[in-house]
Amino acid sequence: MKNLKIAIQKSGRLNEKSVQLLKNCGLDFENYKSSLITTVANFNLEILFLRDDDIPGYVEQGIADLGIVGENVIEETESKVNYLQRLGFGKCTLKLAVAKDSPIARLEDLNGKSIATSYPVILKNFLDDYKIQADIQMISGSVEIAPGLGLSDAICDIVSTGGTLKSNGLQPFADVRTSEAILIGRDGLEDNEILGELLQRIQSVLLAKETKYVVLNVEKVNLPKITELLHGVKSPTVVPLAEDGWVAVHTVISEDDFWGKINKLKSAGAQGIVVMPVEKIIM
Ligand code: ATP
Ligand code: ZN
């Protein structure tokens, strides 16, 4: 079978998590920082290490079959690629921000003003949607210093914690779009078996990440209350303990309702609750 090529970021915010995801899928490869391409020893896949901006284009042209990249970059480069799987990392929001003492407070106030950004396409689409006419100033980096230098009235930039904005005397006032890392693919991979296998592995890793393995002890009389609270992948496993009248319950629960459930389990008589990470879940 012909190898597939997947493009991931060479270095930067998505590199480590992309590498980790592929490794968690059981792929065995050397993460050479110096080489552009590496071959996976135990899977029909080659990994290309690229600048994130180049990834959608490579996939669109079919130089790479697959890629892992932020939605913001896909939209900015206007590439025609297929969204195969949301990956749940690299989450961030593209926001509009102005100086703390700026008179700009609502979107309409941006009419006739200038906005500095590294995302002119996304910003233009957004402003068009709201019928706002502003002057977009393309800057490739350090956008947050533009208002202070008198280069622009506002900025549109990626914010995760807001710390950079704050230290530059800026405050966000509107969200333009949210983004996360996505697995993208070129056209024509519909029946590809390697992709099918890879997707299945990725989904099982993602599912496992949202799940915890829980073991707890409970007195037999309280077991019905506990099993009612736990509807895991299947019904929980119940094992007798050496102490008479007590059992251990094993199950998996979703990360989302984790804290809520743990407290309810405690009130229902659960003791010695042990929570462990899950590596993979094969459905
Ligand atoms: P490259 O050298 O590959 O061009 P870059 O400097 O353009 O890298 P990074 O800063 O590494 O890009 O960000 C890569 C992606 O990570 C972004 O496009 C975005 O999708 C995501 N991301 C998540 N959080 C943030 C953040 N706080 N700031 C910037 N990008 C973020
Ligand atoms: Zn980039």
Side-chain angles (χ1 to χ4, degrees), residues 88-187:
F89 60 85
K91 287 188 178 170
C92 56
T93 307
L94 201 57
K95 292 186 188 227
L96 285 159
V98 290
K100 289 220 167 60
D101 55 4
S102 168
I104 299 170
R106 294 167 314 153
L107 286 177
E108 303 87 272
D109 301 337
L110 289 169
N111 274 307
K113 300 286 198 262
S114 62
I115 311 169
T117 189
S118 309
Y119 294 94
V121 173
I122 296 178
L123 180 57
K124 174 84 170 55
N125 290 339
F126 177 82
L127 295 175
D128 286 352
D129 283 349
Y130 287 90
K131 306 207 166 19
I132 290 162
Q133 299 211 326
D135 174 25
I136 298 174
Q137 303 268 344
M138 166 65 191
I139 302 186
S140 60
S142 303
V143 169
E144 62 284 350
I145 63 171
L149 294 175
L151 262 168
S152 71
D153 301 303
I155 67 160
C156 171
D157 202 10
I158 285 182
V159 177
S160 47
T161 61
T164 313
L165 288 185
K166 214 168 181 187
S167 60
N168 284 281
L170 301 174
Q171 59 187 8
F173 75 98
D175 288 0
V176 173
R177 74 156 299 158
T178 57
S179 174
E180 72 179 275
I182 303 275
L183 177 73
I184 54 172
R186 65 167 170 84
D187 282 340

Side-chain angles (χ1 to χ4, degrees), residues 10-145:
K10 186 175 173 70
S11 65
R13 288 189 159 90
L14 301 182
N15 166 268
E16 206 176 303
K17 293 218 164 114
S18 305
V19 167
Q20 198 53 52
L21 174 67
L22 296 177
K23 296 233 159 167
N24 288 345
C25 288
L27 307 188
D28 177 14
F29 60 95
E30 302 278 347
N31 185 19
Y32 290 125
K33 287 273 178 217
S34 54
S35 69
L36 176 70
I37 187 159
T38 185
T39 304
V40 175
N42 58 353
F43 200 80
N44 290 347
L45 194 70
E46 282 161 62
I47 303 173
L48 300 176
F49 297 97
L50 301 174
R51 285 203 56 191
D52 67 345
D53 315 67
D54 297 333
I55 292 174
Y58 269 60
V59 173
E60 183 176 8
Q61 293 169 53
I63 297 164
D65 304 286
L66 304 168
I68 294 179
V69 69
E71 286 173 286
N72 54 316
V73 177
I74 307 168
E75 186 179 339
E76 186 60 33
T77 54
E78 299 183 296
S79 310
K80 309 254 167 327
V81 293
N82 302 301
Y83 277 46
L84 302 178
Q85 177 69 51
R86 311 186 74 79
L87 299 173
F89 60 85
K91 287 188 178 170
C92 56
T93 307
L94 201 57
K95 292 186 188 227
L96 285 159
V98 290
K100 289 220 167 60
D101 55 4
S102 168
I104 299 170
R106 294 167 314 153
L107 286 177
E108 303 87 272
D109 301 337
L110 289 169
N111 274 307
K113 300 286 198 262
S114 62
I115 311 169
T117 189
S118 309
Y119 294 94
V121 173
I122 296 178
L123 180 57
K124 174 84 170 55
N125 290 339
F126 177 82
L127 295 175
D128 286 352
D129 283 349
Y130 287 90
K131 306 207 166 19
I132 290 162
Q133 299 211 326
D135 174 25
I136 298 174
Q137 303 268 344
M138 166 65 191
I139 302 186
S140 60
S142 303
V143 169
E144 62 284 350
I145 63 171

Side-chain angles (χ1 to χ4, degrees), residues 37 57 81 83-84 160 196 215 238 259 261 275 278:
I37 187 159
V81 293
Y83 277 46
L84 302 178
S160 47
V215 180
V238 179
W259 288 111
K261 238 175 207 168
V275 181
V278 175

Side-chain angles (χ1 to χ4, degrees), residues 212-218 223 226-227 230-241 247-253 265 271-276:
K212 299 281 174 226
Y213 191 90
V214 179
V215 180
L216 57 86
N217 296 335
V218 68
L223 188 58
I226 299 286
T227 46
L230 298 170
H231 25 82
V233 167
K234 268 207 177 137
S235 56
T237 309
V238 179
V239 194
L241 290 185
V247 290
V249 178
H250 293 229
T251 195
V252 294
I253 65 175
L265 290 169
Q271 292 184 10
I273 305 175
V274 177
V275 181
M276 289 167 278

